[in-house]
Amino acid sequence: MAAYSRAQLLLLLSSVCLCGFGSVHGLKAASGPAELHNPLVLRPADPPAKDAPAAAAAGASQPRRATGWKLSEEEACREDLTRLCPKHTWTNNLAVLECLQDRKEEIDIAPDCNHLLWNYKLNLTTDPKFESVAMEICKSTITEIKECNEVERGRGYLVSCLVDHRVNISEYQCNQYITKMTSIIFSDYRLICGFMDKCKEDINSLRCGSINIGHKDIHSQGEVIACLEKALVREVEQQDRAHPIKEECQKAILRVAELSSDDFHLDRHLYFSCRDDRERFCQNIQAGEGKVYKCLFNHKFEEAMSEKCRDALTTRQKLISQDYRVSYSLAKACKLDLRKQRCSLDTSLPRAREARLSYLLLCLEAAVHRGHPVSGECQGEMLDYRRMLMEDFSLSPEIVLHCRTEIEAHVCQNALQTLIQSADPGGDYRIDRALNEACESVIQTACKHIRNGDPMILSCLMEHLYTEKMVEDCEHRLLELQYFISRDWKLDPILYKKCQADAARLCHTHGWNETNEVMPPGAVFSCLYRHAYRTEEQGRRLSRDCKVEVQRILHQRALDVKLDPELQKRCMTDLGKWCSEKTDAGQELECLQDHLEDLVSGCKDVVGNLTELESEDIQIDALLIRACEPVIQAHCHDVADNQIDTGDLMECLVQNKHQKEMNDKCAVGVTHFQLIQMKDFRFSYKFKMACKEDVLRLCPNIKKKVDVVICLSTTVRNDTLQEAREQRVSLKCRKQLRVEELEMSEDIRLEPELYEPCKSDIRNAECCCLKEQKKQLSQRCHQRIFRLQEVEMSDPELDYQLMRVCKQMIKRFCTEADARNVLQCLKQNKNSELMDPKCKQMITKRQITQNTDYRLNPVLRKACRADIPKFCQSILNKASEDGELEGQVIACLKLKYADQRLSSDCEDQIRVILQESALDYRLDRQLQMHCSEEISRLCAEEAAAQEQTGQVEECLKVNLLKIRQEACKKEVLNMLKESKADIFVDPVLHTACALDLKHHCAAITPGRGRQMSCLMEALQDKRVRLQPECKKRLQDRIDMWSYAAKVAPAEGFSDLAVQVMTSPSKNYILFMIALSVCVLFLVGLLCGRITKRVTRELKDR
């Protein structure tokens, strides 16, 4: 039994020797087996004790120690053994050794006992007979492991090989002892064969400890390896360049870490640092296969974790990032997958790039993204280590190296980008623990319909960015992650899956983890979205699925300029210069668009391209779409549901800006986009597509949209006026041009030529306010407003206020009317009972505007184009081109109408104006100007009436004698004069005499005073009985006319003729005039015969 125990002990202790035994500490192996069992034989490492041979001989001569010697029998350790170790362990030297060396750090043992343990372990690990014993105990294992079966015998390589392959040892007895005794060797770096030979100089230069054997606590020996590991980490991070570690020592350090990867007891520094934490967090975790390591890693950032343990764990993790094989579980789970995916090509360089954790993760993730099979166990390990990298940036040496300061910002960003690609949090948001914890509540409420861990969770979170459901902490974490994902299209797994074929076909990309200098990762997405919006004619388009994903990404990135790499890169200076105070969501891009003309060329191009893209697909502006959700659902859901927008949605929003569902945020956003569109015609997608060829042909070198619209509109107008055989502007462009003109009329800011001159006059940014207060405007603004009104009156569709207020009335009364005659149609139906009061009020305002100047009434202007210069030239000579004539020309035409001297077309239009102004004094500009004070004094009650039916005019006529101002009195007299010419001009009289006109004057043609003369004759005819009210009103009119004749006698023969023709005694006057003419003729004949008598003699000559 003792022999069997001896064989087991020999094998177990030999298995941890990493190299030939003859080289341990520079000593030669003892030749006698007795030496193996003599723990008191001192064999110092450097230099050897002089009495070593004698001691060895003495030890060999003691049979007690050669057969059944036990540590518990030694006097030096008996007290410590009794105090620290259970009694049942005393019979087993290995159990005693494990008990004493795994004691708590603060518990000391006697120096003699410590020295005894050291020499015992040293003697065990340097006996050359271990190899032969190992061959006996592990015979079947050696046969199974080809590498170990082929190694050279007699040099210690066999035991080293068994240690390397101990995970593959299936033989229980062999595996059990090799695994157990490893902890004895790892308790002191000097016992690890070859380690001190390779790292002796580095231990001294780095001051990591002494290499001399003495009465030194065994706990401190684990600190030496920990010191070397930390130095290696610092060197990789280039924090310590003064003491570079030799390459062979680096390999030895990583090899030791690898060999201790399955059992945390073997990492003595970490074991002692984390012993209490292991009991606290991982009490139920069984040691072995790296399970305790993983458990401690998962609790690393908890508050209860001690700082000492956290530091030791971080060092261990950094070693794993240098060599994935330092992680037992990862190396084991992914061994076959690494081989299958060809991720370890260079086996001659075990610590080269291929050994890096980041390289392993990138290689395997590339295989997963390509659809190649990777075992679930390996993917689970990858997930754990991706999460580990995301939790602690210090585990990535490139980040520590390049991100210590912000001086090397570009290199730092590249290092961070590599980390994100290695961890690949886009594939599973849970890898980013900070994001997972911050966004848990949002995920539970907004994204609960998506499976936990699904990549669509990130997309869902982005869709709820800046919404009520988003919390501030989640928002920050999400933007941090999206910053890097936006700079490498491959980090969005859904986009990569849908678009990898398109990217390879159109953008010449390579594999998932392969770089391409011609098409770097940040440029691939730009390439994709350029192809996403190509037309069929342009060809080389994206597949349907890829285009959907590209649009999704564009919609999400528009939320923040930092998510658009090209925009942030080129516009960093302009953002600081113009938009430093615009920090809210979406404000930075709006600010850049507002300052488009001021941006540097590179930034201007990027912002212009993005704005052009928005015009085609306004859903890219996610914040605007969210703000406009109510109006979209109510009025634009049809176009919003279309997968291809092409500008229809924005057009719909503009058309419905004044609906009740339109909120302030949406209205401001829509107006802002309209204003941005005015900067470049390319920013209006539908206009660009419809008129691109026309612009290039007719308006070259013009970029601003407003200038392009004016150019094309002028071309269309000129072709129309000149009755050109063929319009130069295409039909599709003319249709879209109409839409643009209508949109521009909606807001004064959309017309820079109007807005700039009127900027100082604007109190409220509504154009109608300026129109109603023209007298208070500056001259330039007044002129622009007049031009605007002239255009609107000639084309009522451009009158946004009129079209909006009277939209339903136009549908009711004017569906068949031409667009340019809409106002004329509304005026004709103004007094209909079905007319909406608001629309009626708007029509009245437009009538008042038209009557201020004949140029604002295109129908009148056309009908009277010959009469105006003929009768009113003196007024035209005094007028300015852009100023109102204040109704002077219309007043002139009214007088000529009373004189019955106008052409028939002009007379018809003036009659309409007279009839309209007779009902509402506000439509008579001259009367309103000159009689405003008299109306306030004499007719305030009538003027305050909501419905004007001519009562103010009647009041002025009745109070003619009380009027003080001569100008007003003259206007009232003119009004009386006009009423004599046509009874329809006198609404009060016409109403009173309506029945009498029907009975007595039905056959009389209206106009030129004919019906008025008919009523006068009926009044004088005693056989005719008129209605009392009509009779009374007629008598009042006769008195007024008589007074008018006295106050305002005829100014010329024409006025006299009119007075005679319109006089009630017209026949009598004409008879007397004819009689007078006859008498004068006869008198002339008689007088001429008497005064001009000639003698007959003269006649006969």
Side-chain angles (χ1 to χ4, degrees):
M1 184 68 183
Y4 175 68
S5 176
R6 174 179 177 276
Q8 288 181 319
L9 179 60
L10 292 175
L11 173 62
L12 195 57
L13 293 178
S14 67
S15 63
V16 293
C17 197
L18 304 181
C19 61
F21 293 94
S23 63
V24 178
H25 307 301
L27 297 177
K28 293 182 179 180
S31 58
E35 222 174 352
L36 176 66
H37 300 280
N38 190 349
L40 300 180
V41 177
L42 301 181
R43 294 165 44 158
D46 186 22
K50 295 180 181 179
D51 57 348
S61 67
Q62 299 178 14
R64 180 179 64 85
R65 292 181 181 174
T67 55
W69 177 84
K70 290 182 174 53
L71 280 171
S72 58
E73 296 176 355
E74 294 298 327
E75 187 67 28
C77 293
R78 187 171 299 167
E79 182 181 348
D80 296 306
L81 190 66
T82 306
R83 180 165 51 94
L84 300 174
C85 300
K87 197 167 184 178
H88 70 270
T89 63
W90 292 5
T91 59
N92 190 320
N93 286 346
L94 299 182
V96 170
L97 187 61
E98 185 175 3
C99 169
L100 292 176
Q101 73 177 14
D102 286 354
R103 75 188 187 279
K104 290 187 178 180
E105 188 172 0
E106 60 272 11
I107 299 176
D108 294 328
I109 61 175
D112 289 341
C113 182
N114 193 16
H115 193 58
L116 175 69
L117 295 176
W118 153 251
N119 284 284
Y120 175 59
K121 290 187 292 184
L122 181 62
N123 289 338
L124 289 178
T125 57
T126 55
D127 196 299
K129 295 186 181 293
F130 276 174
E131 185 171 297
S132 61
V133 175
M135 292 175 63
E136 181 181 345
I137 300 297
C138 300
K139 185 175 182 180
S140 60
T141 301
I142 295 171
T143 305
E144 292 174 0
I145 302 175
K146 184 178 179 181
E147 292 89 342
C148 298
N149 196 28
E150 295 176 352
V151 297
E152 184 181 352
R153 300 294 192 268
R155 299 187 63 182
Y157 293 153
L158 176 61
V159 177
S160 178
C161 180
L162 288 172
V163 172
D164 285 347
H165 293 84
R166 73 181 187 274
V167 295
N168 298 322
I169 297 176
S170 57
E171 190 176 357
Y172 177 77
Q173 192 177 36
C174 182
N175 184 38
Q176 187 74 8
Y177 277 90
I178 287 178
T179 302
K180 261 190 167 294
M181 291 308 297
T182 306
S183 61
I184 297 175
I185 305 305
F186 275 85
S187 66
D188 195 323
Y189 73 96
R190 294 170 296 182
L191 301 180
I192 303 173
C193 296
F195 183 83
M196 195 168 68
D197 286 342
K198 296 174 182 177
C199 295
K200 179 178 179 180
E201 294 180 8
D202 296 295
I203 292 173
N204 285 328
S205 64
L206 293 167
R207 300 180 183 276
C208 286
S210 172
I211 63 170
N212 293 319
I213 298 175
H215 299 286
K216 192 174 179 67
D217 187 5
I218 57 172
H219 290 79
S220 65
Q221 303 308 315
E223 298 291 343
V224 175
I225 295 179
C227 173
L228 290 172
E229 290 175 341
K230 291 178 181 179
L232 176 61
V233 169
R234 288 197 305 271
E235 182 175 333
V236 172
E237 296 171 355
Q238 295 188 15
Q239 294 183 1
D240 186 3
R241 303 183 182 182
H243 304 287
I245 300 175
K246 293 186 299 182
E247 184 177 352
E248 62 177 3
C249 183
Q250 289 185 24
K251 293 179 180 179
I253 293 170
L254 288 172
R255 182 62 176 157
V256 168
E258 179 185 340
L259 290 172
S260 62
S261 63
D262 62 334
D263 190 345
F264 93 113
H265 290 89
L266 305 184
D267 188 332
R268 304 305 290 173
H269 172 69
L270 187 144
Y271 170 74
F272 288 115
S273 299
C274 298
R275 184 156 46 182
D276 293 337
D277 298 281
R278 188 267 170 92
E279 294 298 320
R280 187 180 300 116
F281 297 112
C282 310
Q283 185 177 6
N284 299 322
I285 304 298
Q286 186 176 359
E289 298 185 353
K291 294 178 181 178
V292 177
Y293 284 126
K294 291 186 69 173
C295 175
L296 291 172
F297 288 160
N298 291 333
H299 293 86
K300 174 180 167 181
F301 289 104
E302 295 194 16
E303 292 183 5
M305 175 69 70
S306 65
E307 282 298 322
K308 189 173 182 180
C309 180
R310 185 179 290 120
D311 291 342
L313 290 172
T314 300
T315 300
R316 185 81 191 180
Q317 289 175 319
K318 289 182 177 180
L319 293 174
I320 293 174
S321 71
Q322 291 300 302
D323 188 342
Y324 73 90
R325 285 168 291 200
V326 176
S327 170
Y328 176 87
S329 58
L330 180 64
K332 179 182 178 183
C334 297
K335 183 176 181 179
L336 294 178
D337 295 289
L338 289 170
R339 188 178 303 162
K340 188 184 300 182
Q341 305 302 332
R342 301 169 63 87
C343 294
S344 296
L345 300 180
D346 194 350
T347 56
S348 62
L349 296 174
R351 313 297 168 191
R353 182 173 65 98
E354 287 78 5
R356 296 275 182 139
L357 176 64
S358 59
Y359 176 82
L360 172 140
L361 292 175
L362 287 173
C363 180
L364 292 178
E365 284 164 14
V368 172
H369 284 292
R370 288 195 297 265
H372 296 174
V374 175
S375 66
E377 186 181 3
C378 180
Q379 290 197 46
E381 289 295 325
M382 289 168 60
L383 184 66
D384 290 338
Y385 283 95
R386 285 156 58 192
R387 183 184 290 116
M388 183 187 79
L389 290 175
M390 286 296 296
E391 287 178 352
D392 192 347
F393 77 93
S394 68
L395 304 184
S396 301
E398 295 84 2
I399 295 178
V400 177
L401 173 61
H402 298 300
C403 298
R404 285 193 293 267
T405 66
E406 294 182 0
I407 298 174
E408 302 171 294
H410 177 69
V411 182
C412 172
Q413 180 169 320
N414 289 341
L416 289 169
Q417 194 74 36
T418 302
L419 168 64
I420 297 295
Q421 187 177 5
S422 302
D424 193 18
D428 190 337
Y429 72 95
R430 295 172 298 180
I431 291 169
D432 190 337
R433 178 174 291 184
L435 174 69
N436 189 19
E437 293 175 355
C439 297
E440 185 176 2
S441 61
V442 183
I443 294 170
Q444 293 300 323
T445 54
C447 309
K448 59 184 179 182
H449 60 286
I450 304 176
R451 179 178 56 84
N452 197 23
D454 193 292
M456 284 304 295
I457 290 283
L458 276 182
S459 182
C460 174
L461 290 173
M462 285 300 296
E463 290 171 2
H464 289 87
L465 191 64
Y466 304 125
T467 64
E468 295 178 354
K469 293 183 178 180
M470 179 60 64
V471 296
E472 185 177 1
D473 194 20
C474 178
E475 178 182 305
H476 294 327
R477 298 297 183 187
L478 185 60
L479 286 176
E480 287 171 1
L481 177 59
Q482 287 292 337
Y483 176 89
F484 293 99
I485 292 179
S486 66
R487 281 151 178 78
D488 189 345
W489 74 291
K490 296 175 294 187
L491 298 183
D492 189 311
I494 305 173
L495 176 67
Y496 182 80
K497 181 179 179 181
K498 301 289 186 181
C499 294
Q500 57 179 322
D502 295 274
R505 175 171 55 91
L506 301 172
C507 309
H508 311 292
T509 59
H510 298 305
W512 191 82
N513 62 331
E514 297 178 22
T515 58
N516 184 352
E517 295 182 0
V518 178
M519 185 64 68
V524 175
F525 186 76
S526 299
C527 170
L528 289 174
Y529 86 67
R530 281 196 299 271
H531 289 87
Y533 292 90
R534 283 177 175 262
T535 61
E536 292 184 5
E537 293 79 10
Q538 292 173 316
R540 293 174 63 81
R541 305 173 71 195
L542 295 183
S543 62
R544 181 187 181 90
D545 290 343
C546 181
K547 181 174 181 179
V548 170
E549 289 306 312
V550 169
Q551 288 177 324
R552 174 181 68 84
I553 299 298
L554 283 173
H555 296 171
Q556 293 175 358
R557 289 190 183 181
L559 295 171
D560 198 309
V561 295
K562 292 187 287 295
L563 302 184
D564 190 323
E566 190 175 8
L567 180 66
Q568 189 188 35
K569 177 183 177 182
R570 295 181 181 274
C571 297
M572 187 64 71
T573 303
D574 289 300
L575 282 168
K577 183 176 182 180
W578 305 107
C579 311
S580 57
E581 297 180 359
K582 305 290 186 179
T583 56
D584 291 343
Q587 284 189 341
E588 290 175 309
L589 179 57
E590 289 184 1
C591 173
L592 291 174
Q593 291 173 329
D594 290 337
H595 292 86
L596 187 64
E597 295 87 353
D598 305 317
L599 304 179
V600 297
S601 58
C603 180
K604 188 175 183 179
D605 292 341
V606 175
V607 175
N609 292 336
L610 182 58
T611 307
E612 188 175 353
L613 202 59
E614 279 187 353
S615 71
E616 181 176 355
D617 184 5
I618 193 58
Q619 296 193 52
I620 290 175
D621 193 342
L623 295 176
L624 175 63
I625 296 302
R626 289 176 191 168
C628 297
E629 188 65 27
V631 71
I632 290 174
Q633 292 299 324
H635 304 283
C636 307
H637 62 274
D638 292 338
V639 293
D641 293 339
N642 293 339
Q643 188 173 4
I644 302 176
D645 185 0
T646 64
D648 294 326
L649 182 55
M650 176 53 72
E651 190 173 293
C652 178
L653 290 173
V654 171
Q655 293 171 355
N656 292 278
K657 272 182 71 173
H658 295 277
Q659 297 292 345
K660 62 181 180 180
E661 292 85 2
M662 179 67 70
N663 54 59
D664 292 339
K665 283 186 177 180
C666 180
V668 170
V670 172
T671 302
H672 172 266
F673 195 76
Q674 288 181 283
L675 293 173
I676 297 304
Q677 285 182 323
M678 303 310 296
K679 297 177 182 290
D680 194 321
F681 80 95
R682 296 180 298 121
F683 297 164
S684 298
Y685 178 75
K686 298 188 79 171
F687 182 56
K688 176 187 71 174
M689 298 306 294
C691 298
K692 184 189 296 184
E693 296 178 359
D694 300 276
V695 172
L696 294 175
R697 180 165 45 88
L698 301 171
C699 311
N701 304 322
I702 299 179
K703 195 171 184 181
K704 286 189 175 182
K705 179 181 173 183
V706 62
D707 296 332
V708 172
V709 171
I710 292 173
C711 171
L712 294 176
S713 299
T714 304
T715 304
V716 172
R717 185 183 63 183
N718 292 340
D719 288 347
T720 303
L721 293 177
Q722 296 171 8
E723 298 181 355
R725 182 178 301 176
E726 184 178 352
Q727 286 276 359
R728 286 176 288 174
V729 179
S730 64
L731 178 61
K732 65 177 182 179
C733 181
R734 293 202 302 273
K735 289 181 178 180
Q736 191 59 37
L737 184 63
R738 191 76 178 157
V739 174
E740 300 301 329
E741 290 175 334
L742 292 175
E743 287 187 9
M744 289 171 61
S745 67
E746 174 263 337
D747 193 318
I748 188 173
R749 291 170 294 177
L750 301 180
E751 297 193 56
E753 287 193 350
L754 175 63
Y755 181 65
E756 291 300 325
C758 296
K759 189 180 293 185
S760 59
D761 299 277
I762 295 175
R763 299 294 178 268
N764 184 356
E766 291 292 335
C767 190
C768 57
C769 174
L770 297 177
K771 294 175 182 176
E772 293 169 2
Q773 300 181 17
K774 288 188 287 188
K775 288 186 177 181
Q776 286 77 38
L777 302 181
S778 60
Q779 184 179 0
R780 285 186 64 213
C781 181
H782 195 155
Q783 292 174 350
R784 296 293 183 181
I785 290 292
F786 178 78
R787 289 182 186 176
L788 172 65
Q789 290 180 318
E790 190 175 358
V791 172
E792 289 179 347
M793 293 303 177
S794 62
D795 190 352
E797 271 196 323
L798 302 180
D799 189 340
Y800 184 80
Q801 292 290 328
L802 175 69
M803 300 304 291
R804 182 175 65 85
V805 174
C806 296
K807 184 177 181 179
Q808 297 301 322
M809 295 301 101
I810 293 172
K811 290 181 179 179
R812 175 173 293 174
F813 297 110
C814 308
T815 52
E816 298 181 359
D818 183 75
R820 296 182 179 273
N821 297 325
V822 168
L823 181 57
Q824 195 70 17
C825 171
L826 290 172
K827 285 168 26 177
Q828 293 170 0
N829 293 277
K830 174 184 173 182
N831 296 315
S832 170
E833 294 180 355
L834 300 176
M835 178 59 68
D836 177 62
K838 291 183 179 180
C839 180
K840 185 174 183 178
Q841 186 179 3
M842 182 62 66
I843 295 169
T844 301
K845 287 183 178 180
R846 295 301 177 260
Q847 288 179 298
I848 293 172
T849 300
Q850 283 189 326
N851 289 343
T852 59
D853 197 306
Y854 77 98
R855 290 170 292 184
L856 302 181
N857 190 334
V859 178
L860 174 67
R861 187 175 185 177
K862 182 179 180 180
C864 299
R865 59 180 178 270
D867 299 87
I868 291 173
K870 181 178 179 181
F871 300 111
C872 312
Q873 187 61 47
S874 59
I875 299 173
L876 297 179
N877 293 337
K878 299 177 183 178
S880 62
E881 183 179 352
D882 298 318
E884 290 93 337
L885 296 173
E886 299 297 346
Q888 295 179 63
V889 171
I890 294 177
C892 168
L893 293 174
K894 285 180 181 179
L895 291 175
K896 302 307 174 185
Y897 173 83
D899 294 343
Q900 301 177 2
R901 298 173 63 184
L902 299 177
S903 62
S904 59
D905 291 341
C906 185
E907 187 177 89
D908 292 340
Q909 292 302 316
I910 291 297
R911 184 187 302 113
V912 172
I913 291 174
L914 286 169
Q915 291 171 357
E916 291 171 347
S917 58
L919 292 171
D920 192 340
Y921 76 98
R922 295 171 298 176
L923 303 185
D924 190 332
R925 180 61 182 164
Q926 289 290 307
L927 179 68
Q928 190 181 23
M929 283 178 59
H930 298 303
C931 297
S932 57
E933 293 183 7
E934 300 293 349
I935 291 173
S936 301
R937 184 171 63 87
L938 301 173
C939 311
E941 186 177 344
E942 290 82 355
Q946 188 173 3
E947 189 73 20
Q948 291 293 323
T949 57
Q951 58 268 46
V952 173
E953 288 87 342
E954 185 66 18
C955 172
L956 290 173
K957 292 173 184 176
V958 171
N959 293 284
L960 180 61
L961 298 176
K962 299 179 182 180
I963 295 175
R964 301 169 185 171
Q965 295 182 359
E966 290 300 321
C968 179
K969 186 178 290 186
K970 183 179 179 181
E971 289 301 321
V972 175
L973 292 173
N974 287 338
M975 193 163 49
L976 287 170
K977 180 179 178 182
E978 293 158 4
S979 66
K980 290 173 68 177
D982 199 327
I983 192 173
F984 289 99
V985 179
D986 193 335
V988 175
L989 179 61
H990 182 265
T991 302
C993 298
L995 289 175
D996 296 296
L997 281 171
K998 186 176 181 180
H999 289 119
H1000 305 296
C1001 307
I1004 305 299
T1005 305
R1008 296 187 178 272
R1010 287 185 284 266
Q1011 288 188 331
M1012 183 66 77
S1013 299
C1014 174
L1015 286 176
M1016 289 300 180
E1017 291 174 359
L1019 179 64
Q1020 293 176 355
D1021 192 343
K1022 295 181 180 181
R1023 295 172 297 175
V1024 178
R1025 297 188 64 180
L1026 299 176
Q1027 295 291 325
E1029 183 66 19
C1030 179
K1031 189 174 182 179
K1032 179 179 179 301
R1033 293 293 180 183
L1034 278 174
Q1035 193 59 53
D1036 291 342
R1037 293 300 182 267
I1038 292 172
D1039 295 339
M1040 290 179 186
W1041 291 332
S1042 299
Y1043 177 75
K1046 295 177 183 177
V1047 175
E1051 296 179 358
F1053 182 77
S1054 59
D1055 288 345
L1056 178 62
V1058 171
Q1059 288 184 8
V1060 170
M1061 295 302 295
T1062 58
S1063 173
S1065 305
K1066 178 182 71 174
N1067 294 335
Y1068 174 74
I1069 294 173
L1070 290 175
F1071 174 75
M1072 292 304 297
I1073 291 175
L1075 182 60
S1076 300
V1077 171
C1078 291
V1079 170
L1080 286 174
F1081 181 71
L1082 292 172
V1083 170
L1085 288 176
L1086 293 174
C1087 293
R1089 296 293 291 177
I1090 295 172
T1091 58
K1092 296 294 183 179
R1093 184 174 292 173
V1094 182
T1095 59
R1096 181 176 295 276
E1097 292 81 4
L1098 291 173
K1099 287 182 179 181
D1100 292 339
R1101 284 182 181 178

